[in-house]
Amino acid sequence: MRNTRWKAASRAAIALTSAGALAAGMALILTAPAAAGTTLGASAAEKGRYFGTAVAGFKLSDSAYTTILNREFNMVTAENEMKMNATEPQQGQFSYGAADQIVNHARSRGMSVRGHTLAWHSQQPGWMESMSGSALRSAMLNHVTQVATHFRGQVVAWDVVNEAFADGSSGGRRDSNLQRTGNDWIEAAFRAARAADPGAKLCYNDYNTDNWTHAKTQGVYNMVRDFKSRGVPIDCVGFQSHFNNDSPYVSNYRTTLSSFAALGVDVQITELDIQGASANTYRSVVEDCLAVARCNGITVWGIRDSDSWRASQTPLLFNSNGSKKPAYDAVLAALNNGTTPTDPPTDPPTDPPTDPPTTPPPGQGGCTATVSVNQWTGGFVATVRVTAGSSAISGWTVTIGLPSGATVTNAWNANRSGNTGTTNWTNVAYNGQVGAGQTTEWGFQANGTAGTLSPTCSAR
């Protein structure tokens, strides 16, 4: 396979050549959004990379938002509009309007598009959540086929499967309705995606896979190695890279990227945000990508802090008023100063050390909960952050009152009681124990308008 290389000049056409096994000859012509070296996208293109962002369709009417988007980025990912509940709200009835709006905006301005995501245990439509077995497998494969076919030729890469591995020390698959259809469900999804769109790169995407020593990272690595050895069509691996106090950037991040690349796949940083927007950490992430020949590019998960799903952590490159942060300057400088290596490493590290214990001891103590909302016309996603008080807690319950007309349709990382009005949420098995002063996050999606949500938290 060939590595992707970007060539750019000021407002000149650039070509991205796919490294996918069946797309080695496909070229996509893009237009650099501004003079080379003065914006994130143009500078990344000079180094043979892209620099992208997640986009919420309802914000395309915000001129301040689109000014930054159009100026700075050359790759776009739909934040929610291509997910399963958005594209197939009723079984067999597909809805592409919101996603098409983002794709058309991007492509008409010379940007490329990453598709996110075809198959996921979360943000499934209600009709799919209640399915199981062969009926669910058939429905999932039909969804993959229909959506990938609709966007054929418009999307350069797909996150075919998202977040299928469990957190913790097992290194195994996440228990989900899709996993329970059979261990080959991921392979089946990739084969269906290849048949539907032979020209797109096909990626596996996950979070907390940044540390090479972690069992989850090794589990994904072993799956990709197996897929490559058996000819399963996988072209790339996406590293979400949501760095925060609970999951910080690690010095072996570059080792992780290069080790996966040595398997013969591209690597992409797909959802980058960094709590507090440390300029040094952003710089390190960019330098790590530039040091790995098969690291195609970086996508930040939002434009301004106010656009982030973790707005309270101020994790992005632009302040809420649209001004550039020191992290922006660090990223641009790293892109401009970087070089493009030509040969990826061939020998990944072996025998990673055993994970140290990471679970805090159980205990009693209070907790608080805060919520950030991503609202669009007709629905919203709420991200809730539970913080333990002065001592560790062994479980938590959060109560949230929803306004009239708001109905929960999906949730992740929490059990729920009630979909309207007063809703109660409790921890799942892996996120009840929270160390003193530490946090855990979960979320839900709902129809309607969020209004002002005021969560309360009790610990046990």
Side-chain angles (χ1 to χ4, degrees):
M1 291 194 209
R2 294 182 292 148
N3 295 333
T4 301
R5 290 290 180 270
W6 292 77
K7 304 297 181 184
S10 175
R11 297 196 183 277
I14 58 177
L16 171 63
T17 302
S18 172
L22 298 182
M26 181 188 72
L28 172 70
I29 305 301
L30 302 174
T31 301
T38 63
T39 67
L40 302 173
S43 184
E46 281 193 316
K47 300 303 184 292
R49 308 304 204 274
Y50 65 78
F51 204 98
T53 186
V55 169
F58 75 97
K59 293 183 179 178
L60 292 177
S61 60
D62 178 346
S63 61
Y65 180 89
T66 55
T67 294
I68 301 172
L69 168 64
N70 298 344
R71 181 187 72 222
E72 294 290 342
F73 301 100
N74 60 357
M75 181 73 80
V76 160
T77 303
E79 188 170 0
N80 288 293
E81 291 81 355
M82 287 188 183
K83 292 175 180 174
M84 302 176 84
N85 57 351
T87 51
E88 193 178 3
Q90 303 297 324
Q91 187 172 11
Q93 299 179 17
F94 291 86
S95 176
Y96 299 114
D100 285 342
Q101 179 190 19
I102 293 174
V103 172
N104 292 338
H105 181 96
R107 299 185 75 229
S108 67
R109 291 162 176 81
M111 305 173 193
S112 192
V113 179
R114 293 189 81 258
H116 177 77
T117 174
L118 292 173
W120 190 21
H121 72 276
S122 188
Q123 289 187 246
Q124 295 178 357
W127 62 266
M128 182 176 283
E129 287 183 312
S130 62
M131 297 182 74
S132 62
S134 59
L136 174 59
R137 172 66 70 91
S138 177
M140 181 272 289
L141 293 177
N142 182 64
H143 178 88
V144 170
T145 298
Q146 296 299 324
V147 176
T149 298
H150 175 82
F151 291 106
R152 182 172 179 168
Q154 302 179 76
V155 170
V156 297
W158 270 109
D159 291 331
V160 178
V161 172
N162 194 47
E163 300 177 3
F165 276 75
D167 294 313
S169 60
S170 72
R173 299 282 184 86
R174 177 191 298 274
D175 180 37
S176 70
N177 60 348
L178 292 171
Q179 178 63 28
R180 290 190 292 272
T181 68
N183 203 54
D184 64 338
W185 77 271
I186 299 177
E187 177 178 342
F190 272 84
R191 293 192 184 279
R194 175 67 85 215
D197 188 355
K201 293 184 181 182
L202 305 183
C203 306
Y204 175 79
N205 190 57
D206 216 326
Y207 68 96
N208 284 353
T209 53
D210 314 293
N211 190 325
W212 176 245
T213 70
H214 281 181
K216 184 175 182 180
T217 306
Q218 292 300 310
V220 176
Y221 177 87
N222 289 334
M223 180 191 72
V224 175
R225 181 171 57 185
D226 171 64
F227 280 11
K228 294 297 293 183
S229 70
R230 294 191 294 110
V232 178
I234 185 169
D235 306 312
C236 41
V237 176
F239 298 84
Q240 293 183 16
S241 302
H242 296 295
F243 294 123
N244 53 58
N245 293 340
D246 297 323
S247 180
Y249 168 83
V250 287
S251 60
N252 66 19
Y253 184 63
R254 187 179 302 184
T255 297
T256 302
L257 298 179
S258 63
S259 298
F260 276 85
L263 293 176
V265 293
D266 293 338
V267 292
Q268 301 174 354
I269 300 169
T270 55
E271 303 182 20
L272 179 64
D273 49 26
I274 300 172
Q275 182 173 359
S278 162
N280 287 337
T281 304
Y282 263 108
R283 180 185 300 109
S284 294
V285 170
V286 173
E287 290 173 347
D288 288 342
C289 180
L290 292 176
V292 178
R294 298 199 69 152
C295 184
N296 300 146
I298 298 170
T299 295
V300 288
W301 206 243
I303 297 176
R304 304 163 300 190
D305 284 335
S306 56
D307 305 317
S308 172
W309 69 305
R310 291 177 163 174
S312 64
Q313 295 184 9
T314 60
L316 297 176
L317 300 176
F318 294 87
N319 291 304
S320 295
N321 64 7
S323 61
K324 299 172 182 176
K325 298 164 74 170
Y328 173 95
D329 297 328
V331 167
L332 186 62
L335 290 169
N336 283 330
N337 293 334
T339 59
T340 303
T342 57
D343 296 313
T346 56
D347 296 315
T350 58
D351 300 324
T354 303
D355 282 347
T358 57
T359 304
Q364 299 296 319
C367 62
T368 58
T370 58
V371 62
S372 60
V373 173
N374 182 356
Q375 177 78 55
W376 62 88
T377 302
F380 63 93
V381 167
T383 301
V384 184
R385 191 181 205 197
V386 173
T387 303
S390 58
S391 59
I393 61 176
S394 58
W396 46 263
T397 299
V398 173
T399 300
I400 300 177
L402 300 177
S404 176
T407 303
V408 176
T409 59
N410 212 335
W412 47 96
N413 298 338
N415 299 313
R416 74 179 184 265
S417 174
N419 295 321
T420 60
T422 300
T423 60
N424 292 301
W425 307 80
T426 57
N427 60 275
V428 291
Y430 54 81
N431 64 0
Q433 294 184 334
V434 184
Q438 300 302 303
T439 64
T440 188
E441 289 189 344
W442 54 274
F444 64 91
Q445 183 169 350
N447 295 326
T449 302
T452 301
L453 301 180
S454 300
T456 60
C457 185
S458 60
R460 58 184 188 275

